[in-house]
């Protein structure tokens, strides 16, 4: 793994993106619906969000709670927060009011980035000192008002980069800090050495970015390789997943066993001939799903 360390550490986001924003600024980094975001635009908007946080008075190590759908704005928020030195905390978008109240208190978040229609927005209204930013109302204007000049908050590789909460299956969810170098290690050791992702690949993940699995699939794995990622902002129904695969023709598909099983019931002759690799995680993959998927598509699922 090549990490450009100094005595002070390194900037995770700069390392993750590498030279692609500068060598291939017009290459598409993100597909989302009818939107395309190039690497040059992605890098500029990450910088803008980092500068926006500074303008809003958010300090390094402040927590930024993210309750938002899978869109480019999620990526700007997550990566821009780390660029500023703040700690982004992506959480499930399908929780209840009391869950969001707990997460806001437990994380001591200084900013929430969400949608106006999310239950989290209603809960956030009860926290007067909490700053709010809505991805569907005013986000773009505020982002455009910020400078796109790069800012690097240099950290040690073992310092905290972001938090993810546990599922809460054994009690209250627990905020788990992830180190700066961890995201690079997983990208290099798994997406590069196991999946062999290359710049020509297009990745599509059913698992959302607030999950660790989805975060790697949609953010760190493709960006580290200079590849492209496809985001589905709505719920991944089998019909929408099939439509997305046919539209964007991804070469790598990340699913979960339940989704593979649902797709098998709706495929009706689909071969998914653009896909070279299928991966699964999150729960045990039943042998019958593995075998039936191979029978219908000719693709083995990497479990």
């Amino acid at each position: 793994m090549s990490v450009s360390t100094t005595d002070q550490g390194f900037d995770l986001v700069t390392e993750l993106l590498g030279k692609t924003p500068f060598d291939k600024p017009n290459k598409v980094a993100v597909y989302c619906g009818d939107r395309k975001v190039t690497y040059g635009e992605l890098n500029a908007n990450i910088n803008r969000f980092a500068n926006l946080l500074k303008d809003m008075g958010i300090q390094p190590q402040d927590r930024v709670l993210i309750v938002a759908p899978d869109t480019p704005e999620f990526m700007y928020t997550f990566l821009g927060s780390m660029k500023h030195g703040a700690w982004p905390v992506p959480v499930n978008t399908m929780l209840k009011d009391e869950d969001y109240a707990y997460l806001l208190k437990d994380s001591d978040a200084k900013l929430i980035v969400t949608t106006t229609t999310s239950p989290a927005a209603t809960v956030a209204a009860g926290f007067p000192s909490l700053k709010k930013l809505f991805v569907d109302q005013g986000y773009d204007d505020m982002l455009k008002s910020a400078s796109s000049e790069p800012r690097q908050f240099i950290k040690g590789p073992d310092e905290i980069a972001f938090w993810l909460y546990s599922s809460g299956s054994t009690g209250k969810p627990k905020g788990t800090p992830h180190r700066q170098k961890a995201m690079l290690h997983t990208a290099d050791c798994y997406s590069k050495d196991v999946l062999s992702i290359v710049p020509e690949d297009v990745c599509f993940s059913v698992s959302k970015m607030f999950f660790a699995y989805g975060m790697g699939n949609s953010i760190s794995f493709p960006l580290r390789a200079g590849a492209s990622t496809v985001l589905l902002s709505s719920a991944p129904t089998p019909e929408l997943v099939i439509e997305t695969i046919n539209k964007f023709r991804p070469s790598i598909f990340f699913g979960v066993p339940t989704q593979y099983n649902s797709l098998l019931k709706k495929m009706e002759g689909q071969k998914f001939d653009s896909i070279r690799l299928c991966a699964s995680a999150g729960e045990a993959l039943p042998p019958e799903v593995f075998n039936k998927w191979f029978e219908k598509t000719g693709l083995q699922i990497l479990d």
Side-chain angles (χ1 to χ4, degrees), residues 19 21 283 289 292:
K19 297 180 179 179
E283 57 185 287
V289 173
K292 192 172 289 187

Side-chain angles (χ1 to χ4, degrees), residues 49-64 80-88 108-111 131 151 153 155 160-161:
F49 193 84
N51 286 315
L52 176 60
L53 289 185
K54 182 182 179 183
D55 296 341
M56 294 177 71
I58 301 298
Q59 302 296 317
Q61 298 187 8
D62 281 349
R63 268 69 76 202
V64 177
S81 295
M82 291 193 296
K83 189 98 177 190
H84 176 61
W87 297 343
D108 191 26
K110 304 303 180 187
L111 169 67
K131 293 181 170 65
R151 297 180 62 250
F153 186 83
K155 288 188 173 184
I160 296 172

Side-chain angles (χ1 to χ4, degrees), residues 30-247:
V30 185
Y31 294 97
C32 184
D34 294 327
R35 301 171 63 188
K36 296 179 183 179
V37 179
T38 67
Y39 267 92
E41 292 167 337
L42 176 63
N43 188 53
N45 284 327
I46 290 168
N47 290 335
R48 286 191 177 96
F49 193 84
N51 286 315
L52 176 60
L53 289 185
K54 182 182 179 183
D55 296 341
M56 294 177 71
I58 301 298
Q59 302 296 317
Q61 298 187 8
D62 281 349
R63 268 69 76 202
V64 177
L65 200 76
I66 305 173
V67 191
D70 281 19
T71 62
E73 286 75 22
F74 185 113
M75 297 179 72
Y76 306 154
T77 301
F78 179 76
L79 297 168
S81 295
M82 291 193 296
K83 189 98 177 190
H84 176 61
W87 297 343
V89 187
V91 299
N92 197 319
T93 57
M94 299 172 284
L95 301 178
K96 298 178 181 178
D97 289 10
E98 56 266 31
D99 299 319
Y100 291 123
Y102 165 77
L103 293 169
L104 284 167
K105 290 176 183 177
D106 188 72
S107 66
D108 191 26
K110 304 303 180 187
L111 169 67
I112 183 171
V113 180
T114 187
T115 64
T116 55
T117 57
S118 169
T122 304
V123 174
F127 291 74
S129 62
L130 176 70
K131 293 181 170 65
K132 292 95 176 171
L133 188 56
F134 300 106
V135 296
D136 56 343
Q137 187 180 91
Y139 185 102
D140 289 345
D141 290 337
M142 292 187 71
L143 197 66
K144 290 175 184 175
S145 70
S147 170
S148 62
E149 288 299 311
R151 297 180 62 250
Q152 288 185 323
F153 186 83
I154 303 298
K155 288 188 173 184
D158 290 316
E159 292 186 58
I160 296 172
F162 60 94
W163 288 16
L164 289 175
Y165 270 86
S166 64
S167 63
S169 57
T170 58
K172 288 289 187 181
K174 300 171 182 64
T176 307
H178 291 250
R179 295 183 293 179
Q180 292 280 319
K181 65 183 181 183
M183 183 171 273
L184 298 182
H185 281 318
T186 56
D188 288 341
C189 296
Y190 179 61
S191 66
K192 179 182 176 183
D193 294 345
V194 176
L195 304 181
S196 301
I197 298 179
V198 294
E200 292 72 29
D201 278 316
V202 177
C203 301
F204 173 40
S205 174
V206 168
S207 185
K208 297 299 184 180
M209 291 191 287
F210 59 74
F211 290 118
Y213 178 50
M215 180 181 293
N217 302 341
S218 295
I219 299 180
S220 57
F221 298 169
L223 295 186
R224 182 66 163 165
S228 303
T229 186
V230 176
L231 303 182
L232 179 60
S233 59
S234 55
T237 64
E239 293 82 2
L240 271 178
V241 171
I242 291 171
E243 180 183 320
T244 302
I245 292 173
N246 288 333
K247 179 177 180 179

